[in-house]
Amino acid sequence: MTSTDSFRSLARTLETLVLGQSALVERLLVTLLADGHLLVEGPPGVAKTRAAHTLAALIDADFHRIQFTPDLLPADLTGSEIFRPQDGSFHFERGPLFHNLLLADEINRAPAKVQSALLEAMGERQVTIGQETHVLPRLFLVMATQNPIEHEGTYPLPEAQLDRFLMHVRVGYPDTAIERDILRLARAEALAGADSPASPVPTPAVTPDDVFAARAAVLDLYLSPELEDYILQLVAATRAPERYVPELSGSVRFGASPRASIAFDRCARARAWLHGRDYVSPDDIRSLAPDILRHRIIPGWEAQADGITADSLIATLLDHVPVP
């Protein structure tokens, strides 16, 4: 199979194991191919952890899950220097950050120092302990989750830190038909694992080397100058929406940063590649726009009082910014 076919097969396998979350599966693969990190918001029990764990198994990558809690310390992520009394030396014990795929579960339940340690590693791809700098694995993806309920005792991520996530995806409950399939899948997995304490582990579909080769192919995909200009206009419209919709004057306190333009460029190419095309289409850009922009836009106070949200602003801009 070609590299594209391998990843499309990977997507199909993921969708059969993570039922009812096809949008999350696609965004997770786009994030992997774009070499970024993903923030997922959704209620408990909708397969967020399962999606990350299954993807790691299918790409033959190390997986680690961290439950973020208020008493977590930065060293619980990065690792720390351990003193060896035998020879009086220090040895660096690596923390969970040194895995290929890290699930940061309920990231908003940890204090700012812990969040900063994670986000620094995401941005710099390294960890500094004392005088030593330790490089993270070449294949390194963080999928962080947020719970939209029970906000008491949480530490919301500042907008500047949110901007480091390639996309912010929202997932919901499956419909009744899908939930019936979930029941049957859970029953089948329980029967298959009845003689073993571990759940069945999927056979790897691609290797990390396949991922690196796919990333190179994605970057080489064709993006027309007209669509590049469309991306820049969309991002600029989040900063000055009145240029396209006069009624939105003053509705935005802060718009998307240049990281949004970079995210559009990489994610649109990755989505087009996953769909078997060698060029980016306007649909690639428009379908990804809410997930790329929603965490990068801060509506003004009056706009919020009028019920205007980041998502509604994005929908309005998509209707008014001309498509080439």
Side-chain angles (χ1 to χ4, degrees):
M1 290 193 296
T2 65
S3 186
T4 306
D5 290 337
S6 298
F7 277 83
R8 294 174 77 180
S9 176
L10 169 62
R12 289 192 295 270
T13 303
L14 261 176
E15 289 178 355
T16 63
L17 297 171
V18 185
L19 301 176
Q21 298 294 356
S22 57
L24 173 60
V25 166
E26 182 187 76
R27 299 308 191 257
L28 196 49
L29 289 177
V30 165
T31 302
L32 175 69
L33 292 170
D35 194 14
H37 306 286
L38 187 66
L39 177 62
V40 181
E41 183 177 334
V46 292
K48 300 187 295 294
T49 300
R50 182 184 177 91
H53 195 183
T54 305
L55 175 63
L58 289 171
I59 63 174
D60 198 19
D62 294 330
F63 173 82
H64 194 90
R65 173 184 174 275
I66 305 175
Q67 180 64 50
F68 276 53
T69 56
D71 60 347
L72 205 65
L73 298 174
D76 294 328
L77 297 183
T78 61
S80 58
E81 295 280 0
I82 306 297
F83 179 69
R84 287 178 167 175
Q86 302 94 319
D87 56 9
S89 65
F90 285 88
H91 167 71
F92 177 64
E93 189 71 28
R94 295 188 171 196
L97 282 177
F98 290 87
H99 288 79
N100 300 125
L101 203 158
L102 181 71
L103 178 67
D105 211 2
E106 295 190 283
I107 186 175
N108 56 331
R109 294 202 178 277
K113 277 190 175 182
V114 177
Q115 294 177 4
S116 296
L118 173 64
L119 294 166
E120 179 184 6
M122 289 164 51
E124 304 300 327
R125 304 297 177 102
Q126 64 183 29
V127 168
T128 302
I129 305 293
Q131 301 298 317
E132 295 289 330
T133 296
H134 305 272
V135 179
L136 295 175
R138 183 183 174 194
L139 178 59
F140 178 61
L141 187 156
V142 173
M143 175 175 152
T145 71
Q146 286 190 151
N147 192 331
I149 59 177
E150 298 177 359
H151 290 295
E152 186 175 351
T154 61
Y155 303 82
L157 272 70
E159 283 73 16
Q161 293 182 347
L162 283 170
D163 195 28
R164 292 186 179 274
F165 285 97
L166 195 70
M167 289 188 285
H168 175 190
V169 178
R170 287 181 176 151
V171 295
Y173 292 114
D175 60 33
T176 304
I178 293 295
E179 196 157 355
R180 180 178 291 110
D181 292 336
I182 292 172
L183 285 174
R184 293 171 178 171
L185 178 62
R187 188 184 309 125
E189 289 182 344
L191 288 170
D195 298 327
S196 171
S199 299
V201 177
T203 302
V206 299
T207 66
D209 286 340
D210 293 328
V211 174
F212 302 138
R215 286 176 177 175
V218 164
L219 289 174
D220 198 40
L221 208 73
Y222 179 69
L223 174 67
S224 71
E226 293 80 11
L227 285 183
E228 187 175 82
D229 187 59
Y230 179 54
I231 288 172
L232 296 174
Q233 287 184 47
L234 270 178
V235 175
T238 67
R239 305 165 192 162
E242 62 275 7
R243 290 175 50 193
Y244 299 93
V245 187
E247 295 80 6
L248 292 180
S249 178
S251 62
V252 175
R253 276 196 294 152
F254 293 99
S257 77
R259 282 197 182 107
S261 302
I262 296 171
F264 266 121
D265 179 79
R266 293 184 179 178
C267 292
R269 293 173 191 266
R271 184 180 186 272
W273 189 85
L274 273 175
H275 284 259
R277 285 181 276 107
D278 60 359
Y279 62 91
V280 176
S281 74
D283 184 60
D284 294 318
I285 297 168
R286 293 173 61 84
S287 67
L288 294 166
D291 297 327
I292 291 174
L293 295 175
R294 67 163 52 95
H295 57 304
R296 295 183 164 100
I297 298 176
I298 306 177
W301 301 115
E302 291 185 8
Q304 293 182 47
D306 292 337
I308 296 177
T309 64
D311 279 7
S312 63
L313 276 167
I314 295 165
T316 301
L317 294 176
L318 286 172
D319 287 339
H320 288 83
V321 176
V323 181

